[in-house]
Amino acid sequence: MDIKHTKKLSVFAVLLFSTTMLFGCAHYEVNTNRGNIPGYYIRSEMQEADRAVETARQAGKDKACPEQFKAAEDAKNNAYDVFRACRTEEGVALAKQATAKANALCPLQPVAQPVVAPIPAPAPEPPLAPIMAAEPTPERMKYCVSLNIEYDIDKADIRPQYHDEVAKVGDFMKKYPTTTAVIEGYSDEVGNDDYNMQLSQRRAESVVKSLVDNFGIDSSRLSAKGYGKTKQTADNSSDAGRQKNRRINAIIDCALDVKDLAPPPERLCMNLKMEFATDSAAIQSIYIDEVNKVGEYMQKYPTTTAVIEGHTDNVGSSEHNVKLSQKRAENVVNYLVEKFGIDRSRLFAKGYGSDRRIAYNNTPEGRQKNRRINAVIDCVIQK
């Protein structure tokens, strides 16, 4: 019984020793002898510091941040020196610090983002200038007539002898009841600006009143606008020049076929419904009929002359748009010469680019309105 009891105690002791050794070696690993520490096992923290420093070296951190790398390597070597001096736990603590330094080498620096200048907001377009009454619109012409009416000084009453002049407008508007008209009054430069503006307004209103009272034109179809001396057409240094500047114009807005106009007005302003491909001046075949209206009218009335106006929106440089609008106007002129035999001396092309807006360019619809071709036809009436 004593022998059996002794054997049991021996087995228990071996198991207890093995367990103690197992848990006691949990922080040990096989010694690679890199730190010149004798023994088969070594604390794992020591060699973890070795591995961290070596990993940093292979990653090129000894060159990327040499001073920081040397500090980590020196910390690792110091930990080994302390460990070798049998100050095990102090050496382990220093090894952990060396590992942390090696792992923290050359931290990624935040990449400086390029400073992008904010895109300036487009400058607001200046307010539209008042659109002249003679500016044609799609499918509507402007029939312009000058009324040779002379007024007494400082008077706005129409003398009886000028009834026939007013009749130019009254008879036309009675014949075409869908028409509307703007009666424009102008003065010479005698007198101050405010006075002339008021006087020209009263004279235009007197023509409107005559059209309502004597020709039965509904007042809703008429408006009066006085321009004073703002749009002089002659030199005010002579009586004849001042008389030319004291004038009344009628701008009649009408949706008519030009073939129906007889006799021809002094001036006819037409908008040609044409669109061009981007950056192109070629006339597309679907718009030929629009140009034909001008050619047929000028063939019928051989005393007429015409200015073909090209206009663009504001996309592109100002210089480019002027050249493009000029080229488009010239192509219309060339077509009228080649197709209808209109003498080139009767035609003139003028490109205005984006200078004469009739709408704002901040919408597709506005830009479309500004891209236009107008034909301004003058007729010298032979009597």
Side-chain angles (χ1 to χ4, degrees), residues 285-299:
S285 59
I286 59 174
Y287 300 119
I288 290 298
D289 287 345
E290 286 293 306
V291 189
N292 289 348
K293 293 178 184 178
V294 179
E296 292 166 357
Y297 187 83
M298 295 187 73
Q299 273 188 335

Side-chain angles (χ1 to χ4, degrees), residues 16-138:
L16 180 61
F17 177 77
S18 299
T19 302
T20 301
M21 290 298 292
L22 178 63
F23 285 98
C25 295
H27 294 292
Y28 283 81
E29 62 183 43
V30 175
N31 188 358
T32 60
N33 295 316
R34 296 182 66 175
N36 296 319
I37 304 296
Y40 187 74
Y41 291 102
I42 188 173
R43 286 288 292 266
S44 60
E45 293 89 344
M46 305 305 296
Q47 296 192 146
E48 283 175 2
D50 252 331
R51 288 192 290 270
V53 170
E54 187 58 30
T55 299
R57 190 193 311 278
Q58 291 177 1
K61 294 185 177 181
D62 57 331
K63 296 180 176 60
C65 47
E67 293 183 3
Q68 297 174 27
F69 178 83
K70 186 176 185 304
E73 189 174 40
D74 288 348
K76 181 262 299 184
N77 292 336
N78 182 50
Y80 270 102
D81 290 342
V82 172
F83 189 86
R84 196 181 298 110
C86 296
R87 291 149 56 190
T88 303
E89 294 305 323
E90 185 180 351
V92 167
L94 292 173
K96 288 181 178 179
Q97 293 176 14
T99 299
K101 285 185 177 182
N103 290 337
L105 286 174
C106 308
L108 292 176
Q109 299 297 321
V111 178
Q113 296 296 324
V115 178
V116 179
I119 299 174
E125 290 186 78
L128 286 173
I131 299 173
M132 295 300 298
E135 174 69 39
T137 55

Side-chain angles (χ1 to χ4, degrees), residues 131-135 142-147 169 173 179-186 201 204-205 207-208 211 217 219-227 248-254:
I131 299 173
M132 295 300 298
E135 174 69 39
K142 295 300 175 78
Y143 180 112
C144 305
V145 181
S146 296
L147 306 185
V169 179
M173 294 187 74
T179 55
T180 59
V182 176
I183 307 302
E184 298 179 338
Y186 300 88
Q201 180 69 30
E205 289 172 353
V207 175
V208 168
L211 290 167
I217 308 300
S219 61
S220 64
R221 296 169 58 195
L222 298 163
S223 62
K225 176 64 177 175
Y227 288 95
I248 293 287
N249 288 342
I251 313 298
I252 304 173
D253 190 351
C254 48

Side-chain angles (χ1 to χ4, degrees), residues 169-220:
V169 179
D171 291 343
F172 186 88
M173 294 187 74
K174 285 176 68 174
K175 183 177 180 180
Y176 302 106
T178 62
T179 55
T180 59
V182 176
I183 307 302
E184 298 179 338
Y186 300 88
S187 72
D188 58 30
E189 66 175 9
V190 177
N192 65 52
D193 292 351
D194 289 341
Y195 176 79
N196 282 328
M197 192 68 73
Q198 294 172 15
L199 180 60
S200 62
Q201 180 69 30
R202 294 204 317 271
R203 288 174 173 172
E205 289 172 353
S206 72
V207 175
V208 168
K209 186 176 185 303
S210 177
L211 290 167
V212 172
D213 294 345
N214 299 321
F215 295 89
I217 308 300
D218 193 278
S219 61
S220 64

